[in-house]
């Protein structure tokens, strides 16, 4: 069964958040900009780790609510989960008091090996069945709401790009789960596989969306777009965010920047832009 | 079947040469080679940071060969990116010991010890103050290593290192960086015992003093007190 999101913790995760990353932590934690309302972390970077990472998280938690986004319990793998890790994750997540956790709808490993990257799942009934079962398994293990995130992919999985949206919805419904909607991933996939990103968003049940990701991506010379989180957010992705928020309403939006991290002021300018879009799109929702 | 695709993805990403059959099964040769590059680049990037001096000493080509050979064993077994260089080093150090000048493997051991202490788990909470009749609780971010070459001394000499056996305590300092302290053989044994924590401080002191045929007299006590004071002040004990 899907878990209810605690209204108390959820209400503190609102507006625009930023991913807490090593490269930007020093400046962010010193300046503590008020326009950043919450932070997102990858638990794999903190579980069983002291030193600078432990300090970063302690400092971050003084002022900001935290949301977590997993990297290594991807929903498409076939092997049983490592029970010990799930227990460690549960204890870590319960210590830092989060409203929900999220994980990618992709293949992160095979047998006892990890790709450390997000490999695509075919949009098949078999993959939807496996992913939804695994989602339920992780959600039960951590005893928290678990959102899946739609992933970017570069190798064609079928002829119709919009089949990905049907696949995502299928997994959401089978597991009665929440969605972390990544608008940059939809945009990247739309351009790489020639479908209309807005038509994709139209297929998403708005009530399931608990969080949105926004990022920039890299355009290769051969035209392929790679989801690097290493470039500024392009206008087309801002536009798609506006479109999505008008449908979904005021869910928290995270700016992801993992590579090529610029000075904080450049990221804060993007955060401001996100606030402008967020306010205009969600005011429209309230007015309706 | 998803299982067959998953195994093909693993081989395409990690094998020395991805096979035509796997690329055909997955569907798009060109795009799957993109995945291979993305997957390998991320792993190589963290390895290059952790073993920067070893890589510079061996040269890009030879270092890259060891990394490729390790990748072709099927990819990392760890979910933690920070442990990837440790897995590579476990595989490559025996190779470097065979094929490279002898101090290279020592340098890699030292770099990995430094990397490990930087990323080690939080320190355990001691149940009580240090006492001679209790087991010691040492920082988890601390390793005692014996090096046959003084590779912790920088910069790397152009002609390489001359043999000079050194005991080193590598630990995470207050700025979360890896620092080193040179130890004598007795202090190294003592810290090793404290790290194992399977006997009380008094038992380990007596056993190790006897092993080194050292009398537990005023001079010994003074040195021991100095070590303990330094470790307590540094937060390592
Ligand atoms: Fe994302």
């Amino acid at each position: 069964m899907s878990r209810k999101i605690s209204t108390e913790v959820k209400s503190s995760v609102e507006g625009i958040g930023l991913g807490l990353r090593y490269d930007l932590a020093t400046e962010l934690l010193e300046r503590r900009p008020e326009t950043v309302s919450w932070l997102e972390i990858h638990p794999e970077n903190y579980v069983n780790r002291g030193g600078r990472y432990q300090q970063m998280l302690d400092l971050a938690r003084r002022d900001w609510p935290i949301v977590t986004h997993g990297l290594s319990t991807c929903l498409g793998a076939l092997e049983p989960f490592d029970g010990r890790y799930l227990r460690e994750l549960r204890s870590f997540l319960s210590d830092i008091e989060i409203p929900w956790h999220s994980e990618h709808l992709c293949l992160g490993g095979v047998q006892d090996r990890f790709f450390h990257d997000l490999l695509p799942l075919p949009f098949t009934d078999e993959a939807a069945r496996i992913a939804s079962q695994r989602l339920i398994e992780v959600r039960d293990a951590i005893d928290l709401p678990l959102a899946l995130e739609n992933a970017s992919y570069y190798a064609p999985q079928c002829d119709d790009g919009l089949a990905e949206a049907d696949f995502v919805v299928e997994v959401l419904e089978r597991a009665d789960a929440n969605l972390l909607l990544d608008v940059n991933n939809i945009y990247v996939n739309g351009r790489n596989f020639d479908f209309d990103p807005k038509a994709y968003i139209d297929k998403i049940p708005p009530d399931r969306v608990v969080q949105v990701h926004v990022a920039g991506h890299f355009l290769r010379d051969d035209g392929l777009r790679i989801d690097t989180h290493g470039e500024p957010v392009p206008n087309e992705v801002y536009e798609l965010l506006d479109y999505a928020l008008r449908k979904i309403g005021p869910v928290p939006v995270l700016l992801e920047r993992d590579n090529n991290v610029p000075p904080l002021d450049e990221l804060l300018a993007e955060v401001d832009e996100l606030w402008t879009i967020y306010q205009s799109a969600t005011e429209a929702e309230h007015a309706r | 079947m998803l299982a067959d695709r998953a195994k093909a993805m693993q081989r395409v990403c990690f094998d020395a040469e991805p096979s035509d059959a796997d690329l055909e099964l997955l569907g798009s040769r060109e795009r799957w080679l993109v995945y291979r590059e993305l997957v390998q680049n991320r792993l190589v990037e963290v390895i290059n940071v952790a073993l920067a001096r070893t890589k510079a000493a061996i040269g890009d080509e030879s270092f890259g060969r060891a990394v490729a050979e390790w990748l072709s064993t099927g990819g990392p077994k760890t979910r933690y990116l920070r442990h990837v260089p440790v897995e590579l080093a476990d595989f490559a150090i025996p190779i470097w010991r065979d094929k490279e000048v002898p101090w290279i493997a020592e340098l890699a051991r030292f770099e990995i010890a430094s990397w490990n202490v930087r990323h080690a788990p939080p320190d355990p909470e001691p149940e009580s103050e240090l006492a001679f009749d209790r087991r010691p609780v040492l920082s988890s971010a601390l390793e005692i290593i014996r090096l046959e070459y003084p590779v912790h001394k920088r910069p790397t000499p152009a002609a390489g290192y001359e043999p000079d056996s050194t005991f080193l305590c590598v630990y995470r300092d207050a700025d979360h960086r890896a620092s080193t302290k040179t130890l004598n053989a007795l202090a190294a044994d003592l810290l090793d015992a404290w790290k194992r924590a399977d006997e009380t401080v008094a038992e380990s002191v007596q056993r190790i003093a006897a092993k080194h045929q050292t009398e537990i007299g005023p001079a010994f006590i003074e040195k021991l007190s100095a070590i303990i004071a330094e470790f307590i002040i540094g937060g390592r004990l």
Side-chain angles (χ1 to χ4, degrees):
Chain A
M1 226 184 82
S2 131
R3 272 171 179 66
K4 286 259 177 305
I5 292 169
S6 143
T7 45
E8 200 179 311
V9 196
K10 186 191 171 186
S11 63
S12 57
V13 178
E14 283 172 350
I16 311 302
L18 190 60
L20 178 62
R21 304 291 180 260
Y22 185 88
D23 288 348
L24 61 84
T26 302
E27 207 185 343
L28 180 71
L29 295 168
E30 245 170 55
R31 289 175 48 187
R32 302 181 169 265
E34 277 180 5
T35 51
V36 175
S37 296
W38 53 281
L39 300 177
E40 187 190 78
I41 63 162
H42 301 305
E44 285 82 352
N45 288 341
Y46 299 86
V47 169
N48 287 326
R49 193 185 211 172
R52 175 60 177 154
Y53 278 80
Q54 186 186 13
Q55 183 192 43
M56 274 161 48
L57 183 56
D58 289 346
L59 291 172
R61 289 189 60 213
R62 282 190 201 164
D63 280 346
W64 281 296
I66 306 283
V67 167
T68 51
H69 184 43
L71 298 170
S72 72
T73 47
C74 296
L75 303 171
L78 292 154
E79 290 70 30
F81 284 112
D82 171 356
R84 182 178 155 180
Y85 177 70
L86 287 183
R87 285 190 295 278
E88 287 170 343
L89 181 64
R90 177 188 174 131
S91 129
F92 174 79
L93 298 181
S94 99
D95 283 352
I96 58 171
E97 299 170 283
I98 49 157
W100 63 79
H101 177 58
S102 61
E103 190 44 274
H104 301 87
L105 182 57
C106 72
L107 191 90
V110 54
Q111 287 167 329
D112 60 343
R113 308 303 177 113
F114 290 86
F115 290 117
H116 293 271
D117 214 318
L118 313 173
L119 275 72
L121 285 171
F123 309 139
T124 60
D125 188 63
E126 181 200 19
R129 177 177 49 78
I130 290 167
S132 55
Q133 281 168 0
R134 284 176 80 83
L135 193 155
I136 292 167
E137 206 183 319
V138 178
R139 189 171 62 200
D140 286 347
I142 61 175
D143 198 23
L144 278 167
L146 175 65
L148 70 82
E149 182 188 25
N150 58 294
S152 51
Y153 63 100
Y154 313 117
Q157 299 301 309
C158 69
D159 298 334
D160 171 14
L162 283 175
E164 187 210 341
D166 298 330
F167 176 68
V168 169
V169 172
E170 177 73 24
V171 179
L172 287 174
E173 280 171 1
R174 285 194 196 210
D176 190 12
N178 300 117
L179 178 66
L180 191 182
L181 184 77
D182 189 316
V183 291
N184 177 57
N185 288 350
I186 296 173
Y187 180 78
V188 163
N189 294 349
R191 293 301 300 266
N192 285 341
F193 296 104
D194 201 24
F195 66 82
D196 174 12
K198 288 180 180 164
Y200 183 120
I201 286 172
D202 290 343
K203 284 176 173 259
I204 297 297
D207 292 351
R208 293 209 180 265
V209 181
V210 289
Q211 185 187 336
V212 169
H213 270 178
V214 181
H217 56 267
F218 180 69
L219 176 59
R220 301 193 342 161
D221 290 343
D222 63 2
L224 181 68
R225 286 164 203 266
I226 305 276
D227 178 30
T228 52
H229 302 175
E231 308 288 323
V233 179
N235 280 335
E236 296 87 340
V237 173
Y238 282 130
E239 269 168 41
L240 196 58
L241 171 71
D242 180 78
Y243 182 80
L245 288 179
R246 281 172 200 278
K247 301 206 120 195
I248 300 161
V251 296
V253 175
L254 181 93
L255 174 62
E256 294 188 285
R257 186 65 181 254
D258 298 328
N259 293 300
N260 214 0
V261 176
L264 185 62
D265 281 328
E266 279 179 44
L267 289 183
L268 293 180
E270 289 185 89
V271 167
D272 287 346
E273 180 66 31
L274 291 172
W275 271 114
T276 305
I277 293 167
Y278 182 85
Q279 271 154 352
S280 107
T282 57
E283 267 163 28
E285 137 102 11
H286 289 316
R288 239 185 298 152
Chain B
M1 285 288 287
L2 188 53
D4 299 329
R5 285 183 71 83
K7 282 178 196 147
M9 289 182 206
Q10 183 189 17
R11 290 189 296 266
V12 162
C13 288
F14 297 122
D15 276 6
E17 281 295 334
S19 76
D20 290 339
D22 283 335
L23 290 166
E24 204 165 302
L25 173 84
L26 292 174
S28 160
R29 179 184 190 89
E30 174 211 336
R31 294 292 173 85
W32 279 99
L33 294 177
V34 171
Y35 272 115
R36 175 180 166 89
E37 196 183 313
L38 290 171
V39 167
Q40 294 203 358
N41 284 351
R42 189 191 303 273
L43 302 174
V44 165
E45 209 175 291
V46 66
I47 289 168
N48 288 349
V49 174
L51 291 163
R53 292 181 59 206
T54 306
K55 180 170 182 261
I58 300 179
D60 291 355
E61 208 184 307
S62 173
F63 190 84
R65 264 199 308 278
V67 174
E69 212 180 308
W70 169 70
L71 287 170
S72 74
T73 63
K77 289 185 178 171
T78 176
R79 73 178 62 245
Y80 300 116
L81 194 59
R82 62 185 183 272
H83 283 176
V84 165
V86 184
E87 284 189 13
L88 173 273
D90 285 346
F91 175 87
I93 285 174
I95 298 176
W96 293 331
R97 200 169 270 139
D98 267 7
K99 292 193 178 156
E100 304 286 344
V101 289
W103 56 268
I104 293 283
E106 296 293 273
L107 176 57
R109 282 180 60 225
F110 171 67
E111 283 198 287
I112 285 296
S114 306
W115 180 262
N116 273 337
V117 298
R118 276 182 55 206
H119 302 290
D123 291 328
E125 295 283 337
E127 281 160 30
S128 56
E129 300 255 292
L130 175 76
F132 277 84
D133 59 350
R134 292 219 174 91
R135 290 177 187 191
V137 179
L138 214 55
S139 159
S140 47
L142 180 150
E143 291 198 13
I144 320 295
I145 54 171
R146 181 197 168 121
L147 294 171
E148 300 307 326
Y149 292 80
V151 290
H152 59 296
K153 291 185 184 160
R154 299 181 71 169
T156 308
Y161 289 94
E162 292 298 322
D164 179 13
S165 176
T166 313
F167 289 101
L168 222 51
C169 170
V170 187
Y171 61 94
R172 181 164 64 207
D173 66 20
D175 296 322
H176 314 296
R177 284 190 286 256
S179 283
T180 58
K181 179 170 172 54
T182 312
L183 305 169
N184 63 27
L186 188 146
D189 273 352
L190 209 51
L191 285 181
D192 239 352
W194 291 355
K195 190 154 168 82
R196 280 199 313 275
D198 52 8
E199 55 195 341
T200 65
V201 175
E203 283 163 351
S204 60
V205 168
Q206 276 159 7
R207 182 176 59 77
I208 287 159
K211 178 184 160 191
H212 289 267
Q213 294 168 330
T214 302
E215 198 194 326
I216 306 183
F220 179 86
I221 299 287
E222 197 178 310
K223 276 186 194 160
L224 179 66
S225 310
I227 292 183
I228 291 176
E230 189 188 335
F231 271 68
I232 289 177
I233 291 164
R236 279 163 267 152
L237 189 64

